[in-house]
Amino acid sequence: MDSNDKDTVKDPRCTQVTVMKVANIAVGFSLSNLPFLRNNFSDDANMALGYVAEFGMICHMFVIGLQIDPAIFTRLPVREVKVAGTGLLLTFLLSLFITPFLHLSYEPSIEFDVFISLIICGTASPLLTRIINDLKIGKSDIGRFLISTAVISDLISLLVFTIGYIIFDPVDGFTVRTVGEILLMLGVLVVQTVLAAKCIPLLMRWVDSQNPPGKLMKGSHLIVSLASLVLVCSLSPLIARFNMMLSVFLAGIVMPRDGRLSKLLTGKVKYFFGLLFFPAFMFWVGFEVDFALFDAGNWLTWASVLLLFVTILVGKVVGCLISGVMLGFHWQDSVASGLLLGIKGHFHIFMAILAKQRNIISPSDSVVMVMVSFLTFIYAPMVVKNIIERARKRSPTQRMAFQWHDPSNELRMILCLHGPENIQSAINFMEISQGPTQPSMMVYVNDMIELTDTAASTLVRGEGVDAMAITDEGILEMRENITNTINNHVRDHSEGIEVKRLLTLCPLATMHHDICVLAEDLLASLIILPFHKNQQQDGTFNTSYLEFRSVNRKVLRHAPCSVGVLVDRGLGSIQLSRSTKCMNAAIIFIAGKDDREALSYAGRVARHPGVKLTIIRFLLDTNGDNVSSRITRARAKTTEYEDELKQDDEFFAEFYDKHVATGHVAYMEKYLSNSGETYSTIKSLEGEYGLFIVGRGARVNSTLTAGMNDWEACPELGPIGDILSATDFSTTASVLIIQQHKLRGKLQGLHEEFSIM
């Protein structure tokens, strides 16, 4: 399937998330509004349900505060603060202008308008985080950015809300509190914050030290910890009549979030949310929102729904567009950010119900605010779907591999070298990989050089804004030697090969990233990496490049195309010629996409007149009556195994007709029952071939390699490659291990850590 096909694939998760959210709301609303249930629901039961909802909201606010890093006050993330601030301010001002015309309050006042505007301009960061993670974009740049921005937006709006609560009394018609009440609240909050920031961490560290991981936490320690938390969080509500939800939020911000006790509390609260609170909360909301009192016949009611919803969207979107222009964001990313930052959640719904219970707004207007809150997250999955589709169009999601390479197009590969010792093997590899002279093959010969302090001191500014040039004489001489040798061979002996030189000069920790970026920019189908051990003439291995093993592993993990690891044990000691047979090569084919990729590459090797290629296919012996045969027959009944076997057979049959039937490639079959026979068969091939081509792995339910990974010395080579490259195998047999391009992640070919902003 090509990239165009991928772009049209619909992601079912977007629909599933919307359906799940709407289903929860619909069930809660439907049950609570059933006449027989509403009429028989006693006041005591309703009061108990309200206590559960209020207790859940207190825990909810505590977790929100606990998940905010207090270091954010000293190291403000500039981009996130700008986007959150502009969205908040514009939505607040727009709401402050429109709210008076909607007549939501029994007693209109500027204080009430400010209260409503603060609720409207906020963002439900827990709900947005859950939606983003459920839709698998939490690891992308825009996903991380939106989560951080939502947290900051929540923090700013709740802090302003707290200041407003300290100054105005919402219970008494938003009257201004006396100076004494304000000073008492501030004083108690300061004491509470100090206790939460200094004393509680000491207690938590002591509890953690007394209860090491792996053992059950002592009940007495847990009770003391919880009692201390409750005592500290209750100081301001008990002494100064401060709001409990805001109190636990402020205490949660300064409390430690590391340690066993903190993680235990967070996990238990989230478990309580999923098991009891969310269903009960929706049922309670449905019971409090009496649709019989909803003034549906009044056009002003529907105008209120529309205007509040539009106010949220326009304020957030325009605010994000303004900040996006300042930060250089694409307008589509700014619009998507604004739409998602407009999401309202449990806190906003709870405040709407609370305002109705305090007779601040009418029951009909409380329905209006709840409906608007629900409308803000219904469209969220569609916005995320649009983000994923745009990311697919910007990302190289096509399968950059030999198996899907169009023979009429130029083949591009990146051939990496450690140094001069890899020159001859690189030349021979280009020689056997050439295939037909038309179209030509483009080879980017890339020098992998670690950026040491010595090399860094020789860097000077080159041509271009960010260009740097190296002046180290040793590196320049080595590169010139490699360039001249390869160019001379291509000019004199190779037709249809074009060579360009590249240099990857960076620390080993980031070298894989530079190589992958090169492959992505150059649209390469294959990256060839030299093995981290280089065999010398006496048969021993040179360990000078052991640090490059981690580079190879990371490239195999992140490469945007197929990858091959070349173990040179003789390929660099011969001079291949197209005039005489000078090398016997074999490809071992078992099963899986990596083996199919290796077979695709072998099709190019088969065209070289100087190579005698043999394909050895290992087949499962399903006719026996031993344990392995019975296991094989059981596995063969799985759909995944059957699909994989079908792909293998179809691809192998095509290769057979093209190369084996025409006499260009020899063929043999080996019927084996288990991995032990696989090992002994491979060992029997020692000394017969100078080059082995194998797939790295990716085999489904393969009995022939089962258990081999338990004793692999180099897992990055796969089970077969590890055997062939071992020190106890032939010292004259080079090995090429190939891994097919992996379409990673769960976004149908799009990497979960995609970048779009």
Side-chain angles (χ1 to χ4, degrees):
M1 184 179 292
D2 59 20
S3 59
N4 293 331
D5 295 330
K6 286 290 180 186
D7 286 341
T8 60
V9 175
K10 294 184 177 180
D11 195 335
R13 286 185 308 277
C14 296
T15 305
Q16 290 171 358
V17 171
T18 305
V19 170
M20 288 172 61
K21 303 291 184 187
V22 175
N24 289 335
I25 297 168
V27 170
F29 272 36
S30 300
L31 288 176
S32 55
N33 279 276
L34 290 175
F36 78 91
L37 189 60
R38 179 176 286 274
N39 295 333
N40 295 310
F41 208 69
S42 65
D43 293 338
D44 292 338
N46 185 28
M47 185 180 297
L49 191 60
Y51 287 149
V52 171
E54 187 172 358
F55 175 74
M57 283 305 305
I58 291 172
C59 296
H60 179 68
M61 297 301 293
F62 177 72
V63 170
I64 291 178
L66 197 62
Q67 291 178 341
I68 297 176
D69 189 352
I72 196 175
F73 295 105
T74 57
R75 299 191 304 272
L76 287 175
V78 178
R79 297 195 315 164
E80 289 83 348
V81 171
K82 285 184 177 180
V83 174
T86 52
L88 278 169
L89 182 60
L90 204 61
T91 308
F92 176 80
L93 294 176
L94 194 59
S95 175
L96 197 60
F97 173 76
I98 291 177
T99 303
F101 298 100
L102 302 180
H103 304 290
L104 297 174
S105 175
Y106 287 125
E107 298 178 2
S109 64
I110 184 64
E111 292 84 1
F112 171 78
D113 296 337
V114 171
F115 165 76
I116 291 296
S117 299
L118 281 175
I119 294 178
I120 289 177
C121 72
T123 301
S125 60
L127 182 58
L128 179 59
T129 301
R130 183 180 176 185
I131 291 174
I132 286 176
N133 288 329
D134 285 348
L135 296 177
K136 306 302 180 185
I137 67 168
K139 296 180 181 179
S140 65
D141 59 347
I142 192 170
R144 296 192 302 268
F145 173 79
L146 284 172
I147 291 173
S148 300
T149 306
V151 170
I152 293 174
S153 179
D154 244 351
L155 177 63
I156 295 174
S157 62
L158 287 172
L159 288 179
V160 175
F161 202 88
T162 301
I163 296 172
Y165 189 90
I166 293 173
I167 299 174
F168 301 99
D169 186 0
V171 180
D172 193 19
F174 295 99
T175 57
V176 179
R177 300 182 191 272
T178 63
V179 176
E181 290 177 328
I182 294 175
L183 292 177
L184 178 63
M185 277 191 182
L186 289 175
V188 175
L189 283 174
V190 169
V191 173
Q192 176 178 298
T193 303
V194 172
L195 290 175
K198 300 298 181 182
C199 297
I200 294 297
L202 293 176
L203 176 63
M204 287 187 169
R205 282 196 290 268
W206 179 80
V207 171
D208 288 340
S209 65
Q210 297 296 315
N211 298 271
K215 293 185 178 180
L216 291 175
M217 183 171 289
K218 297 178 181 178
S220 58
H221 292 171
L222 185 59
I223 292 173
V224 170
S225 302
L226 291 176
S228 303
L229 286 174
V230 173
L231 177 63
V232 170
C233 295
S234 302
L235 284 178
S236 57
L238 291 175
I239 298 175
R241 294 190 302 121
F242 190 66
N243 183 270
M244 188 65 181
M245 287 190 295
L246 296 178
S247 175
V248 298
F249 170 74
L250 296 175
I253 292 177
V254 296
M255 284 186 184
R257 56 205 32 79
D258 297 325
R260 185 182 179 189
L261 186 58
S262 297
K263 294 177 180 177
L264 176 66
L265 290 175
T266 304
K268 292 298 182 182
V269 170
K270 290 182 177 179
Y271 177 75
F272 164 74
F273 284 170
L275 182 67
L276 178 62
F277 173 63
F278 288 141
F281 181 80
M282 286 303 170
F283 183 83
W284 174 75
V285 170
F287 196 85
E288 290 291 336
V289 177
D290 191 353
F291 282 98
L293 301 177
F294 181 59
D295 193 6
N298 189 349
W299 68 269
L300 185 60
T301 302
W302 295 107
S304 299
V305 174
L306 179 63
L307 285 175
L308 286 176
F309 182 61
V310 171
T311 298
I312 294 171
L313 295 188
V314 172
K316 291 293 185 180
V317 170
V318 175
C320 288
L321 283 172
I322 293 173
S323 58
V325 171
M326 294 187 293
L327 296 170
F329 291 167
H330 194 277
W331 71 268
Q332 290 177 301
D333 298 330
S334 298
V335 171
S337 300
L339 291 173
L340 292 175
L341 291 174
I343 287 178
K344 303 293 177 280
H346 302 86
F347 173 76
H348 307 90
I349 296 173
F350 183 83
M351 295 306 294
I353 301 299
L354 194 62
K356 187 211 72 167
Q357 292 178 340
R358 300 283 173 85
N359 291 320
I360 299 174
I361 62 176
S362 67
S364 179
D365 290 331
S366 71
V367 177
V368 169
M369 296 184 66
V370 171
M371 288 176 64
V372 171
S373 298
F374 289 149
L375 288 175
T376 57
F377 65 75
I378 287 179
Y379 61 78
M382 292 181 284
V383 177
V384 174
K385 178 183 177 182
N386 177 262
I387 292 173
I388 294 173
E389 288 177 350
R390 289 190 292 111
R392 284 201 185 106
K393 293 177 181 178
R394 298 188 190 182
S395 301
T397 57
Q398 64 268 27
R399 299 183 177 183
M400 302 300 294
F402 272 103
Q403 185 175 346
W404 294 280
H405 178 70
D406 187 352
S408 62
N409 295 334
E410 177 186 65
L411 176 66
R412 299 182 180 185
M413 68 171 65
I414 297 178
L415 184 55
C416 298
L417 310 179
H418 288 155
E421 60 270 25
N422 301 134
I423 296 178
Q424 191 56 47
S425 61
I427 290 175
N428 288 332
F429 181 81
M430 288 191 296
E431 180 71 27
I432 64 175
S433 306
Q434 180 177 349
T437 57
Q438 291 298 329
S440 61
M441 180 177 70
M442 175 63 73
V443 181
Y444 297 92
V445 181
N446 179 43
D447 297 322
M448 303 166 63
I449 301 177
E450 181 183 5
L451 181 61
T452 60
D453 293 338
T454 303
S457 64
T458 65
L459 293 176
V460 297
R461 185 170 296 280
E463 298 179 0
V465 178
D466 300 321
M468 301 295 291
I470 189 167
T471 59
D472 184 279
E473 293 184 359
I475 296 178
L476 291 176
E477 183 179 352
M478 180 197 70
R479 282 178 51 78
E480 185 178 2
N481 178 31
I482 295 174
T483 303
N484 292 336
T485 305
I486 292 178
N487 285 342
N488 290 337
H489 175 83
V490 171
R491 184 183 63 249
D492 298 336
H493 304 286
S494 299
E495 181 182 354
I497 298 179
E498 296 183 33
V499 176
K500 290 186 178 180
R501 297 283 279 121
L502 298 174
L503 171 64
T504 302
L505 178 64
C506 60
L508 292 178
T510 60
M511 186 173 290
H512 72 283
H513 178 266
D514 288 7
I515 294 174
C516 292
V517 169
L518 281 175
E520 187 173 322
D521 293 342
L522 299 173
L523 297 178
S525 296
L526 180 66
I527 300 173
I528 296 297
L529 302 168
F531 190 49
H532 63 275
K533 296 179 182 179
N534 186 49
Q535 183 173 286
Q536 303 180 94
Q537 292 183 353
D538 58 359
T540 60
F541 281 96
N542 180 3
T543 59
S544 302
Y545 300 105
L546 291 180
E547 298 85 355
F548 283 86
R549 182 180 185 183
S550 64
V551 178
N552 290 1
R553 286 178 166 181
K554 292 176 182 178
V555 172
L556 285 165
R557 191 178 306 124
H558 300 290
C561 62
S562 295
V563 182
V565 179
L566 180 60
V567 183
D568 178 17
R569 293 193 300 194
L571 185 62
S573 62
I574 61 175
Q575 179 65 53
L576 280 176
S577 170
R578 302 183 72 87
S579 58
T580 58
K581 299 284 185 182
C582 54
M583 185 175 71
N584 292 327
I587 171 172
I588 298 176
F589 185 89
I590 301 177
K593 60 182 182 180
D594 288 351
D595 283 17
R596 293 195 296 271
E597 185 71 359
L599 196 62
S600 300
Y601 171 76
R604 300 186 70 90
V605 178
R607 299 171 182 266
H608 194 282
V611 178
K612 182 181 179 181
L613 181 65
T614 302
I615 179 169
I616 307 171
R617 188 175 189 185
F618 289 1
L619 295 169
L620 290 166
D621 184 5
T622 58
N623 296 322
D625 197 32
N626 52 31
V627 175
S628 299
S629 298
R630 291 196 295 271
I631 293 175
T632 299
R633 287 193 291 269
R635 287 175 172 173
K637 296 179 181 179
T638 63
T639 304
E640 188 179 13
Y641 182 88
E642 291 176 351
D643 291 343
E644 190 78 17
L645 185 62
K646 181 180 178 181
Q647 293 183 56
D648 289 338
D649 290 340
E650 290 177 352
F651 190 77
F652 189 86
E654 181 181 348
F655 181 89
Y656 187 95
D657 293 339
K658 186 181 296 184
H659 301 288
V660 178
T662 57
H664 293 96
V665 177
Y667 174 63
M668 67 173 66
E669 294 178 350
K670 300 286 185 178
Y671 284 90
L672 312 172
S673 299
N674 50 52
S675 56
E677 294 184 7
T678 301
Y679 178 80
S680 59
T681 302
I682 292 175
K683 293 290 288 184
S684 68
L685 301 175
E686 186 173 0
E688 295 186 20
Y689 302 98
L691 174 66
F692 286 94
I693 304 170
V694 297
R696 184 186 176 210
R699 303 176 181 95
V700 177
N701 291 334
S702 181
T703 306
L704 298 185
T705 57
M708 285 185 173
N709 55 351
D710 295 337
W711 39 270
E712 288 175 345
C714 296
E716 66 270 22
L717 302 182
I720 306 301
D722 183 72
I723 296 173
L724 294 170
S725 60
T727 54
D728 59 349
F729 199 74
S730 173
T731 59
T732 59
S734 300
V735 188
L736 176 63
I737 302 96
I738 295 181
Q739 171 188 277
Q740 190 178 85
H741 177 209
K742 294 182 177 181
L743 296 178
R744 297 186 177 277
K746 300 179 181 180
L747 298 175
Q748 277 117 7
L750 182 64
H751 199 290
E752 289 185 6
E753 299 180 10
F754 67 85
S755 297
I756 191 174
M757 299 188 74

